[in-house]
Amino acid sequence: MSDSNSVVHRRTSKPSVQEEPITPVATSAQHETNLLSETEKGAGSGSGSSSGAPSILAIIEGDIAKEIVREEIALAHFWARLNGAGRKRVPVLTSIKNCFLSSWLNVLLVCVPAAWALNIIEEAKGPDAVISNTHHVITWALSFLSLIPLEHFFDWGGEQMCLYLGKTLGDRLTVTLNNAVEATLAIVLLAHCELRLLQATIIGVILLHLLLVPGCSFLVGGARVWSQDLHPHNTELNQSLLTLGCMTPSTLLVMSRGISIILLIVYFGSRIFLTDPPGDNNALTVHPGAPEALKEVEKHLEEEEALTGPWTCIIMLLIAVGIMAYTAEALVENVEFIREPGGIGQEWFGMFLLPMVSFAADGAIAVGFSLRNAWHLFRGRDVPTSTLAKGRSIDLSIQFILLWMPFMVVLGWWIGKPMTLLFDLFEVAVLVAACFLVNYVTQDAKTNWCEGLIMLSFYVMIVLCAWYYPGQQEVEDMNACLESVVTFIAGGGEAINGE
């Protein structure tokens, strides 16, 4: 905390930049520091036995008082950083302009009103109206394209909030925002009771962030260096969390719900551990054993100028979530009109096509970035390299497998949809294999381009096999949108919708 305070004072010495006054914050922090010193003195000279030694109760009270003061100091610094203390204030209109100009992908935002208009027209005609399949295809395509700039905006907004929250909390927010599109699609699929498609999508999203995204990152980022570093503190815990997450399929509805609650507890416990590890003054700080490149990133976040104000960014992110929710609804409502005429299996459609919504934005940016670097290298210009591997997508997988997957089971329990952890055998097999492969690749907290190539190759193998895999009919029957298999059998082997 003292480091961040020194950064604030260093910035205030720049007379040319209009900064937010931080005197009250510094005064408050100094007051809390003085209070902590007084508390420590009081704990040392507190009432004790007749011999002058402090009693056990006085020692405990003193420790509690010091911990409370430390938390107040940490909260004061956190609130000051969140409000942009020591940073140049960004006007609201400038923040909004920077949001729309953050990427060339925002041109695709014109697809949002078009997709909404077509979907509203379709709903206005009623369920009995005859609508051409071309109408559904166009609506689905426009909805798909609309989600691409929204996905990228979540990533950009998360990176901007890292400047105000720090790397630890900022990464948590960015991971959650990056999973927002997939989580919304999953919720919409659950509401429509497309349970098998939902399960295939969950596995597809996890595989995407476990193999495809980090594989591309390791391949491209490690092409010009011997190896890249991963955060050793996070990597050790991630291996255990991935193994736990992929080993929890369950066949019974009650078992699935109980296991889901346990997984949620494990996830939130792991986030608390990473955010506030044991020890004094470790909350929201870089781990002492972190690579030097990671410490440089944290220092860069403290000094980099923001392109948007914190509260304007938060409001814009909330608006984007609302837009994304209805767009995802339009996408799901037209899924069957894309899959059935094209002869695409439900397994392949859910595991690879729907998850590509999240990868389309990152893929387009990565391709453009790679082409630009290749052009610079061709012209003899220097292209900077990094020894820090971008392994955030592995955190995305962990969040989806330990948070969103069990959340779907619990949410289905609440709204009366029998979502279980009974997945197809092929899905479980490839997920377990992917988890073990990622654990082997990251166990030494280092990566290289060859390991990225291995991860990409395995993902392509899964894509190829899934195209010809028909799926397990038993699993599809068990995941019929009914409360029990007994009801399914009593209905003559047909679900409510006649399937």
Side-chain angles (χ1 to χ4, degrees):
M1 295 303 172
S2 60
D3 293 338
S4 61
N5 195 22
S6 63
V7 171
V8 171
H9 285 289
R10 185 171 65 251
R11 289 200 186 101
T12 56
S13 61
K14 299 178 181 179
S16 60
V17 179
Q18 296 180 356
E19 298 175 346
E20 179 181 352
I22 59 173
T23 305
V25 177
T27 304
S28 176
Q30 184 63 36
H31 173 71
E32 299 292 354
T33 305
N34 295 336
L35 182 60
L36 177 60
S37 301
E38 295 175 1
T39 304
E40 293 174 345
K41 294 177 181 178
S45 61
S47 60
S49 62
S50 58
S51 62
S55 64
I56 297 178
L57 181 60
I59 294 175
I60 295 176
E61 290 177 349
D63 291 341
I64 294 176
K66 288 188 289 184
E67 186 63 29
I68 292 176
V69 172
R70 288 193 185 98
E71 293 295 334
E72 290 176 351
I73 295 174
L75 183 61
H77 283 290
F78 168 76
W79 186 251
R81 183 169 184 175
L82 176 61
N83 285 277
R87 292 185 180 275
K88 181 180 179 181
R89 183 181 295 276
V90 183
V92 175
L93 294 180
T94 303
S95 299
I96 296 175
K97 182 190 73 173
N98 290 336
C99 289
F100 283 102
L101 298 179
S102 59
S103 172
W104 60 270
L105 290 173
N106 290 338
V107 174
L108 296 176
L109 288 173
V110 297
C111 298
V112 174
W116 284 26
L118 291 177
N119 194 60
I120 292 173
I121 292 173
E122 179 183 333
E123 292 177 348
K125 292 182 178 180
D128 299 330
V130 178
I131 302 177
S132 65
N133 193 72
T134 304
H135 181 96
H136 293 291
V137 171
I138 295 176
T139 304
W140 188 89
L142 290 175
S143 301
F144 188 96
L145 293 175
S146 301
L147 292 175
I148 294 176
L150 294 174
E151 171 72 20
H152 179 265
F153 176 69
F154 290 142
D155 188 56
W156 181 84
E159 291 177 352
Q160 288 297 306
M161 291 305 300
C162 283
L163 305 178
Y164 298 103
L165 297 175
K167 182 166 179 58
T168 303
L169 281 183
D171 280 349
R172 303 287 177 268
L173 177 63
T174 304
V175 166
T176 304
L177 290 173
N178 283 338
N179 274 331
V181 172
E182 297 94 328
T184 304
L185 282 174
I187 293 173
V188 175
L189 287 171
L190 180 64
H192 285 75
C193 218
E194 297 280 356
L195 300 185
R196 273 301 300 133
L197 188 58
L198 169 59
Q199 289 181 335
T201 303
I202 290 175
I203 299 297
V205 169
I206 297 172
L207 292 176
L208 178 85
H209 293 308
L210 271 183
L211 298 175
L212 181 60
V213 178
C216 291
S217 175
F218 299 162
L219 178 63
V220 176
R224 301 176 59 218
V225 294
W226 180 261
S227 65
Q228 289 186 303
D229 297 323
L230 291 167
H231 196 310
H233 184 54
N234 293 1
T235 301
E236 295 171 358
L237 182 61
N238 287 349
Q239 293 174 356
S240 301
L241 294 176
L242 282 175
T243 304
L244 174 66
C246 68
M247 292 294 186
T248 54
S250 176
T251 57
L252 298 180
L253 191 59
V254 177
M255 291 171 57
S256 297
R257 291 167 177 172
I259 291 175
S260 297
I261 295 175
I262 296 173
L263 290 178
L264 290 172
I265 295 174
V266 170
Y267 176 77
F268 286 112
S270 67
R271 298 309 99 178
I272 294 174
F273 172 75
L274 291 176
T275 304
D276 188 7
D280 294 334
N281 302 323
N282 284 337
L284 306 179
T285 58
V286 179
H287 190 268
E292 290 299 324
L294 187 63
K295 298 177 182 178
E296 290 294 328
V297 170
E298 177 66 25
K299 182 179 179 181
H300 177 71
L301 290 176
E302 294 177 353
E303 299 175 351
E304 182 181 354
E305 293 295 339
L307 297 177
T308 177
W311 300 108
T312 304
C313 186
I314 291 173
I315 293 174
M316 293 294 290
L317 287 172
L318 292 175
I319 294 174
V321 169
I323 295 174
M324 181 261 299
Y326 185 80
T327 307
E329 174 80 17
L331 182 78
V332 171
E333 288 180 351
N334 294 275
V335 159
E336 291 301 319
F337 300 98
I338 300 295
R339 187 178 66 83
E340 293 181 356
I344 304 175
Q346 191 175 36
E347 198 85 18
W348 197 91
F349 190 88
M351 288 184 67
F352 303 106
L353 190 55
L354 285 183
M356 279 297 166
V357 174
S358 64
F359 184 69
D362 293 335
I365 294 295
V367 169
F369 182 77
S370 300
L371 291 177
R372 186 187 66 178
N373 285 350
W375 175 249
H376 286 173
L377 289 173
F378 177 76
R379 298 185 62 184
R381 297 182 180 179
D382 291 334
V383 176
T385 59
S386 174
T387 60
L388 184 64
K390 297 182 178 180
R392 182 186 292 168
S393 59
I394 298 178
D395 290 330
L396 295 176
S397 297
I398 291 175
Q399 186 186 82
F400 215 88
I401 198 172
L402 292 181
L403 175 62
W404 292 113
M405 182 180 72
F407 175 76
M408 294 303 154
V409 177
V410 176
L411 180 61
W413 185 9
W414 182 37
I415 64 177
K417 307 296 183 183
M419 172 66 181
T420 70
L421 297 178
L422 175 62
F423 288 86
D424 189 283
L425 182 60
F426 172 76
E427 296 172 352
V428 175
V430 297
L431 179 60
V432 171
C435 289
F436 277 102
L437 176 60
V438 172
N439 285 346
Y440 286 134
V441 167
T442 61
Q443 64 181 351
D444 58 349
K446 293 182 179 294
T447 66
N448 53 63
W449 69 266
C450 187
E451 290 176 333
L453 178 62
I454 293 173
M455 298 170 74
L456 286 176
S457 300
F458 185 50
Y459 187 81
V460 174
M461 293 177 190
I462 298 174
V463 172
L464 179 63
C465 295
W467 179 263
Y468 296 100
Y469 181 68
Q472 283 184 279
Q473 185 61 42
E474 299 86 353
V475 175
E476 188 170 352
D477 293 341
M478 290 288 289
N479 281 285
C481 204
L482 302 166
E483 276 300 326
S484 67
V485 181
V486 176
T487 309
F488 179 76
I489 297 175
E494 291 185 356
I496 297 177
N497 56 9
E499 295 181 354

